[in-house]
Short mmCIF file of all heavy atoms in Angstrom, two decimals:
data_model
loop_
_atom_site.label_atom_id
_atom_site.label_comp_id
_atom_site.label_asym_id
_atom_site.label_seq_id
_atom_site.Cartn_x
_atom_site.Cartn_y
_atom_site.Cartn_z
N TRP H 7 39.40 26.99 -1.11
CA TRP H 7 40.51 26.07 -0.86
C TRP H 7 41.03 26.20 0.57
O TRP H 7 41.52 25.23 1.14
CB TRP H 7 41.65 26.32 -1.82
CG TRP H 7 41.41 25.78 -3.18
CD1 TRP H 7 41.24 26.51 -4.31
CD2 TRP H 7 41.31 24.42 -3.56
NE1 TRP H 7 41.04 25.67 -5.37
CE2 TRP H 7 41.08 24.38 -4.94
CE3 TRP H 7 41.38 23.21 -2.86
CZ2 TRP H 7 40.93 23.20 -5.65
CZ3 TRP H 7 41.23 22.04 -3.57
CH2 TRP H 7 41.01 22.04 -4.93
N ILE H 8 40.99 27.41 1.14
CA ILE H 8 41.62 27.68 2.43
C ILE H 8 40.62 27.70 3.58
O ILE H 8 40.85 27.09 4.62
CB ILE H 8 42.37 29.02 2.37
CG1 ILE H 8 43.43 28.98 1.28
CG2 ILE H 8 43.00 29.35 3.72
CD1 ILE H 8 44.02 30.33 0.95
N PHE H 9 39.50 28.41 3.38
CA PHE H 9 38.59 28.68 4.49
C PHE H 9 37.30 27.88 4.47
O PHE H 9 36.48 28.02 5.36
CB PHE H 9 38.23 30.17 4.52
CG PHE H 9 39.40 31.05 4.78
CD1 PHE H 9 39.85 31.92 3.81
CD2 PHE H 9 40.08 31.00 5.98
CE1 PHE H 9 40.94 32.74 4.02
CE2 PHE H 9 41.17 31.80 6.21
CZ PHE H 9 41.61 32.67 5.24
N VAL H 10 37.09 27.05 3.45
CA VAL H 10 35.84 26.29 3.39
C VAL H 10 36.09 24.79 3.45
O VAL H 10 35.58 24.11 4.35
CB VAL H 10 35.03 26.66 2.12
CG1 VAL H 10 33.79 25.81 2.02
CG2 VAL H 10 34.66 28.12 2.15
N LEU H 11 36.84 24.26 2.51
CA LEU H 11 36.99 22.81 2.43
C LEU H 11 37.74 22.18 3.62
O LEU H 11 37.25 21.19 4.17
CB LEU H 11 37.62 22.41 1.10
CG LEU H 11 36.73 22.69 -0.12
CD1 LEU H 11 37.45 22.29 -1.39
CD2 LEU H 11 35.42 21.97 -0.01
N PRO H 12 38.89 22.72 4.06
CA PRO H 12 39.54 22.08 5.21
C PRO H 12 38.71 22.09 6.50
O PRO H 12 38.57 21.04 7.14
CB PRO H 12 40.83 22.88 5.37
CG PRO H 12 41.11 23.42 4.02
CD PRO H 12 39.76 23.72 3.43
N PRO H 13 38.09 23.24 6.89
CA PRO H 13 37.26 23.18 8.10
C PRO H 13 36.04 22.28 7.94
O PRO H 13 35.62 21.62 8.89
CB PRO H 13 36.83 24.63 8.33
CG PRO H 13 37.78 25.45 7.59
CD PRO H 13 38.25 24.62 6.44
N ALA H 14 35.46 22.25 6.74
CA ALA H 14 34.30 21.39 6.52
C ALA H 14 34.67 19.91 6.64
O ALA H 14 33.91 19.12 7.21
CB ALA H 14 33.67 21.68 5.15
N VAL H 15 35.82 19.54 6.11
CA VAL H 15 36.26 18.14 6.22
C VAL H 15 36.57 17.79 7.68
O VAL H 15 36.21 16.72 8.16
CB VAL H 15 37.47 17.89 5.30
CG1 VAL H 15 38.10 16.54 5.58
CG2 VAL H 15 37.06 18.00 3.85
N LEU H 16 37.24 18.71 8.39
CA LEU H 16 37.49 18.46 9.82
C LEU H 16 36.18 18.36 10.59
O LEU H 16 36.04 17.53 11.49
CB LEU H 16 38.35 19.58 10.40
CG LEU H 16 39.83 19.54 10.06
CD1 LEU H 16 40.53 20.79 10.60
CD2 LEU H 16 40.47 18.30 10.63
N GLY H 17 35.22 19.22 10.27
CA GLY H 17 33.91 19.14 10.92
C GLY H 17 33.20 17.84 10.63
O GLY H 17 32.52 17.28 11.49
N LEU H 18 33.35 17.34 9.39
CA LEU H 18 32.77 16.04 9.05
C LEU H 18 33.39 14.93 9.89
O LEU H 18 32.69 14.05 10.40
CB LEU H 18 33.00 15.73 7.57
CG LEU H 18 31.97 16.23 6.59
CD1 LEU H 18 32.48 16.06 5.17
CD2 LEU H 18 30.67 15.52 6.77
N ILE H 19 34.70 14.97 10.04
CA ILE H 19 35.39 13.94 10.81
C ILE H 19 34.98 14.00 12.27
O ILE H 19 34.61 12.97 12.87
CB ILE H 19 36.92 14.09 10.66
CG1 ILE H 19 37.34 13.76 9.22
CG2 ILE H 19 37.65 13.19 11.64
CD1 ILE H 19 38.76 14.14 8.90
N PHE H 20 35.02 15.19 12.87
CA PHE H 20 34.65 15.32 14.28
C PHE H 20 33.17 15.03 14.50
O PHE H 20 32.79 14.46 15.53
CB PHE H 20 34.99 16.72 14.81
CG PHE H 20 36.46 16.95 14.96
CD1 PHE H 20 37.02 18.18 14.63
CD2 PHE H 20 37.31 15.97 15.43
CE1 PHE H 20 38.37 18.42 14.77
CE2 PHE H 20 38.66 16.18 15.57
CZ PHE H 20 39.19 17.41 15.24
N GLY H 21 32.32 15.41 13.56
CA GLY H 21 30.90 15.11 13.68
C GLY H 21 30.62 13.62 13.61
O GLY H 21 29.77 13.09 14.31
N ALA H 22 31.36 12.93 12.74
CA ALA H 22 31.19 11.48 12.64
C ALA H 22 31.68 10.78 13.91
O ALA H 22 31.07 9.81 14.37
CB ALA H 22 31.93 10.94 11.42
N LEU H 23 32.79 11.28 14.46
CA LEU H 23 33.29 10.69 15.70
C LEU H 23 32.34 10.92 16.87
O LEU H 23 32.20 10.07 17.75
CB LEU H 23 34.67 11.25 16.03
CG LEU H 23 35.82 10.81 15.11
CD1 LEU H 23 37.10 11.55 15.48
CD2 LEU H 23 36.02 9.32 15.19
N ALA H 24 31.69 12.09 16.88
CA ALA H 24 30.75 12.40 17.96
C ALA H 24 29.35 11.86 17.68
O ALA H 24 28.47 11.96 18.53
CB ALA H 24 30.68 13.91 18.15
N ARG H 25 29.16 11.32 16.49
CA ARG H 25 27.86 10.79 16.06
C ARG H 25 26.77 11.86 16.12
O ARG H 25 25.65 11.60 16.57
CB ARG H 25 27.47 9.58 16.88
CG ARG H 25 28.42 8.44 16.67
CD ARG H 25 27.98 7.21 17.39
NE ARG H 25 28.98 6.17 17.16
CZ ARG H 25 29.10 5.13 17.93
NH1 ARG H 25 28.30 4.96 18.96
NH2 ARG H 25 30.02 4.23 17.66
N ASP H 26 27.14 13.05 15.67
CA ASP H 26 26.20 14.18 15.64
C ASP H 26 25.71 14.35 14.20
O ASP H 26 26.44 14.83 13.35
CB ASP H 26 26.90 15.45 16.13
CG ASP H 26 25.94 16.61 16.29
OD1 ASP H 26 24.72 16.39 16.14
OD2 ASP H 26 26.42 17.72 16.57
N ARG H 27 24.49 13.94 13.96
CA ARG H 27 23.95 13.94 12.61
C ARG H 27 23.80 15.36 12.06
O ARG H 27 24.03 15.60 10.88
CB ARG H 27 22.60 13.25 12.62
CG ARG H 27 21.96 13.20 11.26
CD ARG H 27 20.69 12.45 11.30
NE ARG H 27 20.83 11.30 10.42
CZ ARG H 27 19.98 10.32 10.37
NH1 ARG H 27 18.95 10.30 11.16
NH2 ARG H 27 20.16 9.33 9.54
N GLY H 28 23.43 16.31 12.89
CA GLY H 28 23.27 17.69 12.44
C GLY H 28 24.58 18.31 11.99
O GLY H 28 24.64 19.00 10.97
N ALA H 29 25.64 18.07 12.73
CA ALA H 29 26.96 18.61 12.38
C ALA H 29 27.48 17.98 11.09
O ALA H 29 28.07 18.66 10.25
CB ALA H 29 27.94 18.40 13.52
N VAL H 30 27.25 16.68 10.93
CA VAL H 30 27.69 16.00 9.71
C VAL H 30 26.93 16.55 8.51
O VAL H 30 27.52 16.82 7.46
CB VAL H 30 27.50 14.47 9.84
CG1 VAL H 30 27.71 13.78 8.51
CG2 VAL H 30 28.44 13.91 10.89
N THR H 31 25.63 16.77 8.66
CA THR H 31 24.83 17.31 7.57
C THR H 31 25.28 18.72 7.21
O THR H 31 25.43 19.05 6.02
CB THR H 31 23.34 17.31 7.95
OG1 THR H 31 22.95 15.98 8.30
CG2 THR H 31 22.49 17.81 6.81
N LEU H 32 25.48 19.57 8.21
CA LEU H 32 25.93 20.94 7.97
C LEU H 32 27.25 20.96 7.22
O LEU H 32 27.40 21.65 6.21
CB LEU H 32 26.07 21.69 9.30
CG LEU H 32 26.74 23.06 9.24
CD1 LEU H 32 25.88 24.05 8.48
CD2 LEU H 32 27.05 23.55 10.64
N ASN H 33 28.21 20.20 7.70
CA ASN H 33 29.53 20.18 7.08
C ASN H 33 29.50 19.55 5.69
O ASN H 33 30.23 19.99 4.79
CB ASN H 33 30.53 19.46 7.98
CG ASN H 33 30.89 20.30 9.18
OD1 ASN H 33 31.39 21.40 9.04
ND2 ASN H 33 30.60 19.80 10.36
N ALA H 34 28.68 18.56 5.49
CA ALA H 34 28.57 17.94 4.17
C ALA H 34 27.98 18.91 3.16
O ALA H 34 28.46 19.02 2.02
CB ALA H 34 27.73 16.67 4.24
N VAL H 35 26.95 19.64 3.56
CA VAL H 35 26.33 20.62 2.66
C VAL H 35 27.31 21.72 2.31
O VAL H 35 27.45 22.13 1.15
CB VAL H 35 25.04 21.19 3.29
CG1 VAL H 35 24.54 22.41 2.53
CG2 VAL H 35 23.96 20.13 3.33
N VAL H 36 28.04 22.22 3.31
CA VAL H 36 29.01 23.28 3.07
C VAL H 36 30.13 22.78 2.16
O VAL H 36 30.55 23.49 1.23
CB VAL H 36 29.57 23.82 4.41
CG1 VAL H 36 30.77 24.71 4.19
CG2 VAL H 36 28.50 24.56 5.17
N ALA H 37 30.61 21.57 2.38
CA ALA H 37 31.68 21.02 1.54
C ALA H 37 31.21 20.82 0.10
O ALA H 37 31.95 21.13 -0.84
CB ALA H 37 32.18 19.70 2.12
#
């Protein structure tokens, strides 16, 4: 709840904004 889901969601958002497919995939798998 504290150390996985919030950073993963933020990483998904920033990865989508940067259009970085690898970062989006990493964060989606972790989430």
Side-chain angles (χ1 to χ4, degrees):
W7 283 113
I8 301 168
F9 297 114
V10 176
L11 293 179
V15 170
L16 284 175
L18 272 170
I19 292 169
F20 289 141
L23 290 175
R25 296 184 182 160
D26 187 7
R27 180 177 242 169
V30 170
T31 304
L32 170 67
N33 287 300
V35 167
V36 169

